[in-house]
Amino acid sequence: MFPGPARAALTEFVLKVHSRCDLACDHCYVYEHADQSWRRRPARMTPEVLRAAAGRIAEHATTHHLASVSVILHGGEPLLLGPERMRRTLADLRRVIDPVTRLRIGMQTNGVLLSERFCDLLAEYDVAVGVSLDGGRDANDLHRRFRNGASSHEQVLRALALLRRPAYRRLWSGLLCTVDVRNDPVGVYESLLAQEPPRIDFLLPHATWDAPPWRPETGGTAYGGWLRAVYDRWRADGRPVPVRLFDSLLSTAGGGPSGTEWLGLDPVDLAVVETDGEWEQADSLKTAYDGAPATGMTVFSHPADDVAASPGLARRRSGRAGLSGECRRCPVVDQCGGGLFAHRYGVGHFDHPSVYCADLKGLIVHVNDNPPEPAPVRLDAGLPDDLIDRLAASAGDRVAIRRLVEAQTAIVRALLRGVADGLPDGGAGADGWAALTELDRRAPGSVARVAAHPYVRAWAVDCLAGTGTGARHGPDYLGAIAAAAASDAGTPVRLAVPVRAGRLHLPTVGTVLLPEVGDDTAEVHVGPGSLRVTAGDVTVVVATGAAGDSPRWQPARALVADDVTVLLEDGDPHRDCHRLPPGERLDDAGAARWAATFEAAWGIITDEVPGHAEELRTGLRALVPLRRSGDGVSEASTARQAFGGVAATETDAGSLAVLLVHEFQHSKMNALLDICDLVDGTRPTGITVGWRPDPRPAEAVLHGIYAHAAVADIWRIRADRRIDGAQAVYRRYRDWTAEAIGALERADALTPAGSRLLRLVAHSMAQWPS
């Protein structure tokens, strides 16, 4: 019997280590807005408070088996601690939290006091540094001045010059810029870009309906217009640096996560510890009313679980249900998410749209109507510094999966263009490509959702190679992809789509049955909620929103559990790319069994390995039922060319949970191999491993190590919970994996990146009990 899902966990903690500041920024939410609780709090966090906070974080990470937690040092100004107090703070955090989870430490600073001594210290303790800068000198000096009115700009530029040094570059996490519409948007963007930051965050100044933002006399959507101007220049420049606001909108347009509490419907997973040890909600709430972020709890009296369950955080984690009726009805709600929670406050409650509603809506529509060209996949450009480290985390990292998803999106787009480049002028495939291109301009989110389906890539690869079902459907299948995207977008279109063996399939939408047609081409008219299909003398009209199969229509079905939705893919003809044969179309009873098993398995995954749940939520797209073998053994598979697709035989919930985690590890490895060489191909090897009788090549061994380490971790957790038989299974997988690591190290068959990944996996396993 497996335990039910655990309470939602917190993964980011802001520690207010010094609550005073050496600047007097007039837009600061700590000192200049409604909440003035800083006045009654000590200037510095004492060692006792720090150790209590670190203990609570470690306790929370242990309870929820968190793969990692982030601790952000904040203020005021954290550098006012001075180097010695800062060293003791960092040492205590590492000493208490590192033994139980991977600790990521960050710091947000105005940069004025940053020095070589501080940088050496931050490098020693691996602290990521974000710096606040509002643009060039004139723009920055509108708000970020010393108390005597003097400019802080030169001191900040000196700090940034330090962070650009090779010795410290890895510490720099990016620039934070608060928008002021009196500044020239392109000028601000250019001045920030000139500092060569690894990332830029643009933040709207904190405001509410009771204290609205300053606007020029013309009113309107000045903030949205300002950001649109920056977006257009950034887009024209080819996206030279990540901009979190724009990247969030592009991600949510394709159904992905927002990665920020400012936009989208991602669950909030952040809590704040003040200098006196009080637990609070996000600092931005200080702009609403005095006491708005308070929880009534302290690190001495309450664990982090109690904070996560507090009414304020519960509402902020409730997604669309926690928004106002106006927001829920809005067509861009999935991207906007109602805006920042604090910005919805007015007349005593938060049941409003954002005070920036019109600005955000205009920006979102503009971004959706003007998507950037896909970023090129550069296999020779190396990897983000921490991608290997993140992918090696023993219990998952959704940030890394987002990066893999972005790379896969670019690869699929390149493959589709490759198919289109080989088309003759005119014909069904050319019409499909033209429609897909137009839809990508008008409804990029719909195109992205269909293109992200694992078996679109599988078709494209086969089509270009002239093999398999991809070759049989041929480039005409571009019409099916375009029709699917049009159906998702609700955009009317007429297209020629291939019919093969009496089946016309639209990926992610469903299959029209035309047994009298055989192999042919049909004209498909996509209408609102319907398809009209004509092939010769046969005309069929189906309602795409209808539930259940009909004699002519088999809709795509979904598996839904908590906050994840995955296609139950038993109809796509290109799902046969797995090494095991797919099953036939499930009847209603079979689909219902899969739905129940998946929901139960998801509860087990979120309980046992919540980090892997975050990864699967970000990257898993489809689950393919396999044909059961004669011996009844549960089997599962991933396919090299189908990232985000997992195939499995029907089994119980506990086994399915393990299979999903195991196979998605293989899917991650395949995606990593798309962008990075991990194995030295000049050294052919045959390595014997515990899970296979035949000698294996180095790449297959690395695959197995990566997947089996995750399985061992699940059984380790089950063994800790004293589930019958778990200890023996844990030891088997642990020993298999450890022996394979040793054999692969001795073979000397990996690239530096592959060796780093192997070392990090081995290091994580070394912390486990024997």
Side-chain angles (χ1 to χ4, degrees), residues 12 14 206 244 248 258-270 272 281-285 316 336-342 344 398:
E12 186 170 333
V14 175
H206 287 307
R244 185 164 65 165
S248 174
S258 71
T260 171
E261 66 170 335
W262 282 75
L263 293 166
L265 297 170
D266 289 6
V268 174
D269 55 1
L270 175 148
V272 178
Q281 298 184 65
D283 266 2
S284 56
L285 285 169
R316 297 176 64 212
C336 174
L340 188 70
F341 187 76
R344 305 175 207 165
R398 68 177 179 182

Side-chain angles (χ1 to χ4, degrees), residues 330-350:
C330 180
V332 298
V333 63
D334 288 342
Q335 290 176 269
C336 174
L340 188 70
F341 187 76
H343 294 174
R344 305 175 207 165
Y345 183 76
V347 200
H349 60 83
F350 291 92

Side-chain angles (χ1 to χ4, degrees), residues 340-431:
L340 188 70
F341 187 76
H343 294 174
R344 305 175 207 165
Y345 183 76
V347 200
H349 60 83
F350 291 92
D351 195 25
H352 301 281
S354 169
V355 73
Y356 293 104
C357 175
D359 300 277
L360 291 172
K361 188 171 184 178
L363 174 65
I364 292 168
V365 170
H366 182 76
V367 170
N368 291 348
D369 287 345
N370 298 274
E373 289 295 317
V377 180
R378 297 181 56 197
L379 302 183
D380 60 341
L383 295 169
D385 291 343
D386 65 344
L387 182 58
I388 292 289
D389 293 14
R390 287 179 176 275
L391 288 171
S394 61
D397 188 303
R398 68 177 179 182
V399 173
I401 305 308
R402 283 203 297 267
R403 293 177 180 173
L404 293 181
V405 168
E406 289 166 0
Q408 288 295 308
T409 299
I411 289 169
V412 172
R413 285 179 174 273
L415 289 169
L416 293 177
R417 182 174 291 278
V419 172
D421 286 346
L423 290 170
D425 293 336
D431 289 347

Side-chain angles (χ1 to χ4, degrees), residues 113-137:
L113 295 176
L114 197 66
S115 63
E116 285 190 14
R117 184 181 179 188
F118 262 127
C119 284
D120 288 338
L121 173 62
L122 298 173
E124 179 182 350
Y125 285 92
D126 195 20
V127 179
V129 182
V131 179
S132 300
L133 181 70
D134 287 350
R137 184 185 181 102

